[in-house]
Amino acid sequence: MQAKSVLGLGEQAPLLISRLEWHLAQQEDQVRDHGRWDQVQAVASGADPVLSGTPQHELHELYFSIMSLAARKIWASSGKSTYSIHPGLLAALRTSQSGELPRVIFERLQRHPNPLVIFPQPIPATLPDGAAANVHGFLVHGRLAETRGGLCGSDDPQRRGIGVIVIAGVLDHHGVEVSIDQTQLTLPLVTDHFTIDQIVDQVLTAFAPQPGIPLASERQRDWLILAVRLVLHVLLYLCSEGADIAERSLPTRNSGQNRNTNSTKNRAPKPAKIYQVGATHGPQLLATAGYENLGRGVFRAVAAAHEGELPRLLFHQAHQLDDLLTAALDDLSKMRQQLHITGLARDTLQARVLELEKQTAAQSADLKKAMATCERWQADAESYRAQAEAVGSPEQLAELRLALEDQAQQLAAAHRQIDELGDQAATYQNERARRRHYSPAVVTGHQSEPAPDSAEELVPATWEALLSTARALPHLWFSPAIGDTIANLQPRPAWLAAAWNSVRALSHYAQAKHRARVIGDSMTTLRNFSAYLHEHSNGTKISAAQVALSESDAVINNPRLSRVRIHPVPVEIDDTGTCLYLAHVRIGHSPPRPRLHFRDETDNHDVICIAYIGPHLPIT
C-alpha cells in the first residue's frame, strides 16, 4: 500500500456511491420482478419479511436482496449521510484496541443516523468462498431483533442491535472487480457493557449452523472477524470525542449509467451528503509514521460528569497516551508545589487575621469605655443645667455656668476621643475584612467567590461609595435626594463605619423579617428594629443606644420641626410621594452630630426607606 494512492480521495467517494446505487438498482429490479417490493417497504418499517410461495432455490438470494434494499431505503430517508474514511486514519483504526465499553456510547451515532461508511482506498480481503476482494465500506442501520426480523433506524430507541451490510468488490484472477458482495451482520447490544471480543464471538455464534458446531471454514471465520473488528473500530471512532469529521458535504457525481427500468424511469438518485473523516488527522499520521509504522490506537471510555449525560469516548495513539501521562504527572507535581506555597501563605494570613482581631477587640473595649464616660458627662451636664435653672443667685449661677463650661469642654474632648477611636476601629475592621476576604485561589491565579460576610464588612472610603454600595443591599430603598445632604459631611472613618454598619443592620433586619414571614416563623423578636437589636440572635447588629424609633412630642407637634423631617418615599407607600421620617440612628458624636433617618415599612411593603444622612436636624 503506497501513499501515492491517497491522491484523488475526494473524487473516489462519489464514484463508489454511484456504483453501489447501480448495484442496488439491479437488486431492486429483481425484487420488483418477483412482485416483492412491498416487502422492502414493510421490512424498512420494522416488519418481518414474508416470502411464502417463493421457490426454495430463490429464497436465500431474494431474502438478502430485500434486506439490503430496506437498509438502503432507511439510509435514503435519513438524508444519505456518508462518511469517507481517510486511509491513514483507517490503517490506525484497524490495529486499535479497547477494553470494556458502555453500550450507550453508540447513542452518539444520532448526529448522522444510518450512515454509509466508505473507504476510498479499499482494504484487501479474502471472502469465505476463497475469492479475493476489496472491502469498500459498510451501510449502518438498526435491528429490532438479534437475528431475523424487521429493520429500524440506528437511532431508534427500540433497536436490539446495530445492523451492518459490509460491501466488498469481488476480484477476478486479473485483479479486476467483477461483482459486489454484501455480507449482512448484526452487532448485538443487549448488555450494558461490551468488549470487541464479545461482539466477535456473538457474531460467530450467530453464523454457526447449530449451537456448539463451528463455522464451515476457517476462511469464513477469518472474514467475519476482519469485518466485525473493522466495523466496530470505525463506529467507535465516529462516536469518539473530537473525532476528525469535516462538517461540510460534497454532492455525488452522476455515474452516467441509465438504468431504464420499470422501477426508476431514468430518475437520477438523490445526491448523498459526504462527510470527510480523518482529512486532517490521517495525513498527519502518514507524514510522521507512514503506513508501515503507524502506532496502535487505543479507545478509552470516560464516565459522564453529570447524570443524564452520555459517557465520553477518547481515541489516542499509544505514543500520545505516554505523552499525556508525562504531561499529567508534570502538572500534578507543579500543583503540589503550588499547593504547598498556598498553604504557607494561608497560615501567615490566618496568623495576621488573629492578631488584627485581638487589636480590634482591644479598640472596641476602649471605645465602650469612652462612650460610657461621655454618657456620664452628658448626664452631669444636664444635671448642672437643671441646677442652673433652679438657682436664682448670680454668684451660684456664675459658679454653675463655669462648671457647665468645664463639663462642655470635657464632653467635647470625649467626643473627639470617641471619633478618633471610632476611626481606628473602622480602619481595623476594614483590614480584618480584607484579610478574611483573601482566597488561596489568588495565589494560584484563579478566581473564587469571596465570603459574603467578610466582603460586606469592608467599609467604603467615601460617602459616594457608601451610597453606591448600600443601594445593592436587599430590602432597602434610598431617596434620590439623599446625596444632597450627605455631600456636606466629612468622610470620617468612624462616621462612614457607623453609617455602613447601620444600613447593613437595617438590611439584615428586613431580610430576617421577610424570611420569617415566608416560612411562618415567630415575629416576636422582629416586631421592630429595636427588638431585632435587643432580642434577635442572628444578623449584623449595632448598639441599640444609637437608635431612636421616634422623636419627642415637642418635635412631632411643632410644624416647623416636623416639616424638615418629611422626605420622599415610593408612591406605592404613599400617593403623595412623601412621608414623615421620625426613626433615626446616631452616626457621630462631635458636631455636626450626623444622623441617619429611616422609615420602617417592612410590615406592609417589605422595605425600609432611608431618606436622610446628614447633620443633626433641629429640635428646638
Side-chain angles (χ1 to χ4, degrees):
M1 188 180 294
Q2 303 296 325
K4 64 182 182 180
S5 63
V6 178
L7 298 176
L9 295 179
E11 291 76 15
Q12 293 178 28
L15 290 176
L16 291 174
I17 297 174
S18 297
R19 288 182 57 197
L20 177 62
E21 290 273 19
W22 184 84
H23 175 74
L24 291 171
Q26 307 307 309
Q27 288 185 317
E28 179 179 339
D29 292 340
Q30 176 189 11
V31 171
R32 288 184 182 274
D33 290 343
H34 281 80
R36 298 292 187 176
W37 181 249
D38 60 327
Q39 292 302 303
V40 173
Q41 296 174 327
V43 171
S45 301
D48 293 337
V50 178
L51 300 178
S52 56
T54 304
Q56 189 66 31
H57 67 280
E58 298 178 352
L59 183 62
H60 181 79
E61 182 177 357
L62 183 60
Y63 170 80
F64 282 104
S65 294
I66 290 174
M67 300 300 282
S68 297
L69 291 171
R72 191 272 302 266
K73 188 175 184 64
I74 293 174
W75 171 62
S77 65
S78 300
K80 291 189 174 182
S81 296
T82 303
Y83 292 114
S84 178
I85 312 295
H86 189 278
L89 175 63
L90 184 60
L93 292 175
R94 290 185 61 189
T95 59
S96 297
Q97 293 184 353
S98 64
E100 188 176 69
L101 299 173
R103 177 187 62 183
V104 295
I105 205 68
F106 287 116
E107 300 296 329
R108 295 189 180 274
L109 284 175
Q110 294 182 11
R111 175 169 53 176
H112 299 129
N114 313 306
L116 171 65
V117 179
I118 59 176
F119 309 144
Q121 186 165 298
I123 297 175
T126 301
L127 297 178
D129 60 1
N134 286 329
V135 180
H136 289 296
F138 55 90
L139 182 61
V140 181
H141 51 276
R143 294 299 298 264
L144 293 175
E146 296 181 32
T147 54
R148 303 181 64 86
L151 308 187
C152 62
S154 61
D155 56 345
D156 192 321
Q158 302 299 322
R159 63 171 168 76
R160 295 283 293 172
I162 293 179
V164 177
I165 299 178
V166 181
I167 304 163
V170 183
L171 306 177
D172 63 11
H173 63 281
H174 296 295
V176 178
E177 291 191 6
V178 294
S179 62
I180 290 181
D181 177 84
Q182 299 180 70
T183 301
Q184 298 183 10
L185 304 173
T186 298
L187 310 179
L189 298 174
V190 294
T191 58
D192 290 337
H193 292 79
F194 69 93
T195 65
I196 300 293
D197 290 338
Q198 288 173 348
I199 298 296
V200 169
D201 291 342
Q202 290 170 354
V203 172
L204 293 178
T205 301
F207 270 79
Q210 292 183 14
I213 299 178
L215 295 175
S217 68
E218 283 299 318
R219 286 197 299 265
Q220 184 181 23
R221 176 183 176 84
D222 293 342
W223 163 244
L224 290 174
I225 292 175
L226 182 148
V228 173
R229 288 187 177 277
L230 177 64
V231 167
L232 281 172
H233 287 153
V234 172
L235 290 181
L236 287 175
Y237 181 79
L238 295 177
C239 295
S240 65
E241 186 173 286
D244 180 14
I245 302 175
E247 293 294 340
R248 58 191 178 92
S249 59
L250 300 172
T252 59
R253 302 191 308 181
N254 195 332
S255 65
Q257 298 174 356
N258 293 326
R259 294 171 48 199
N260 194 23
T261 66
N262 294 331
S263 59
T264 58
K265 303 298 184 182
N266 294 329
R267 289 177 299 173
K270 179 181 178 182
K273 294 181 179 179
I274 303 177
Y275 297 91
Q276 295 181 337
V277 181
T280 301
H281 191 199
Q284 291 174 351
L285 290 172
L286 295 179
T288 56
Y291 282 106
E292 303 300 328
N293 300 313
L294 283 175
R296 183 180 74 251
V298 178
F299 288 101
R300 182 169 60 90
V302 179
H306 304 285
E307 185 177 355
E309 293 182 354
L310 291 175
R312 299 161 55 206
L313 183 65
L314 306 180
F315 174 76
H316 296 290
Q317 294 293 101
H319 67 85
Q320 291 176 328
L321 290 177
D322 294 337
D323 294 342
L324 289 173
L325 179 59
T326 301
L329 291 174
D330 290 342
D331 290 342
L332 180 60
S333 177
K334 292 177 182 178
M335 290 175 64
R336 285 175 174 169
Q337 294 176 0
Q338 194 64 55
L339 183 61
H340 177 68
I341 295 172
T342 301
L344 294 177
R346 180 201 58 202
D347 294 341
T348 301
L349 288 171
Q350 285 181 342
R352 180 57 180 159
V353 167
L354 292 175
E355 180 183 351
L356 287 173
E357 288 179 343
K358 292 179 180 178
Q359 294 177 358
T360 301
Q363 291 292 333
S364 298
D366 291 343
L367 181 60
K368 289 181 178 179
K369 291 179 181 178
M371 291 179 65
T373 301
C374 179
E375 291 175 355
R376 187 174 65 253
W377 286 347
Q378 280 182 321
D380 292 344
E382 293 295 334
S383 175
Y384 291 149
R385 185 177 290 110
Q387 293 178 28
E389 292 176 355
V391 174
S393 168
E395 292 79 9
Q396 290 179 329
L397 187 58
E399 182 180 348
L400 290 174
R401 189 174 289 115
L402 290 174
L404 183 60
E405 290 175 356
D406 183 62
Q407 290 293 332
Q409 292 175 359
Q410 294 181 18
L411 182 60
H415 283 159
R416 287 192 297 272
Q417 183 181 6
I418 289 173
D419 286 338
E420 290 172 358
L421 289 173
D423 291 345
Q424 294 178 18
T427 302
Y428 281 120
Q429 177 182 343
N430 260 358
E431 186 171 0
R432 181 181 63 179
R434 280 193 294 270
R435 294 298 180 179
R436 286 181 174 173
H437 187 57
Y438 162 79
S439 170
V442 174
V443 180
T444 62
H446 298 290
Q447 297 283 338
S448 65
E449 286 291 328
D453 291 340
S454 62
E456 195 177 275
E457 286 180 8
L458 289 171
V459 178
T462 65
W463 290 111
E464 291 77 11
L466 185 145
L467 277 180
S468 175
T469 307
R471 291 182 194 276
L473 294 177
H475 300 282
L476 297 185
W477 179 90
F478 287 84
S479 167
I482 195 170
D484 297 337
T485 59
I486 206 172
N488 296 325
L489 286 180
Q490 294 180 5
R492 296 200 61 162
W495 295 353
L496 287 166
W500 178 238
N501 290 333
S502 297
V503 295
R504 286 175 56 214
L506 286 168
S507 175
H508 285 193
Y509 154 66
Q511 291 179 62
K513 196 166 186 176
H514 172 79
R515 191 159 46 248
R517 183 180 297 110
V518 169
I519 65 176
D521 205 348
S522 172
M523 305 284 282
T524 303
T525 62
L526 298 168
R527 58 188 182 276
N528 55 46
F529 187 44
S530 289
Y532 163 81
L533 296 177
H534 280 290
E535 303 168 16
H536 200 65
S537 58
N538 298 322
T540 298
K541 303 292 182 64
I542 59 175
S543 173
Q546 294 178 244
V547 180
L549 296 184
S550 186
E551 297 278 13
S552 65
D553 291 341
V555 171
I556 297 173
N557 297 326
N558 187 315
R560 176 179 60 85
L561 299 178
S562 61
R563 189 180 304 115
V564 297
R565 289 166 171 79
I566 295 177
H567 301 289
V569 294
V571 293
E572 293 84 357
I573 294 177
D574 194 292
D575 294 338
T576 65
T578 60
C579 274
L580 185 63
Y581 282 69
L582 299 177
H584 56 275
V585 181
R586 184 179 69 240
I587 300 303
H589 297 81
S590 58
R593 301 188 298 279
R595 298 292 189 266
L596 180 152
H597 282 252
F598 67 92
R599 184 177 179 87
D600 187 352
E601 291 290 341
T602 54
D603 288 335
N604 300 318
H605 300 283
D606 210 23
V607 71
I608 293 177
C609 303
I610 300 176
Y612 178 87
I613 301 177
H616 197 304
L617 295 175
I619 56 175
T620 58

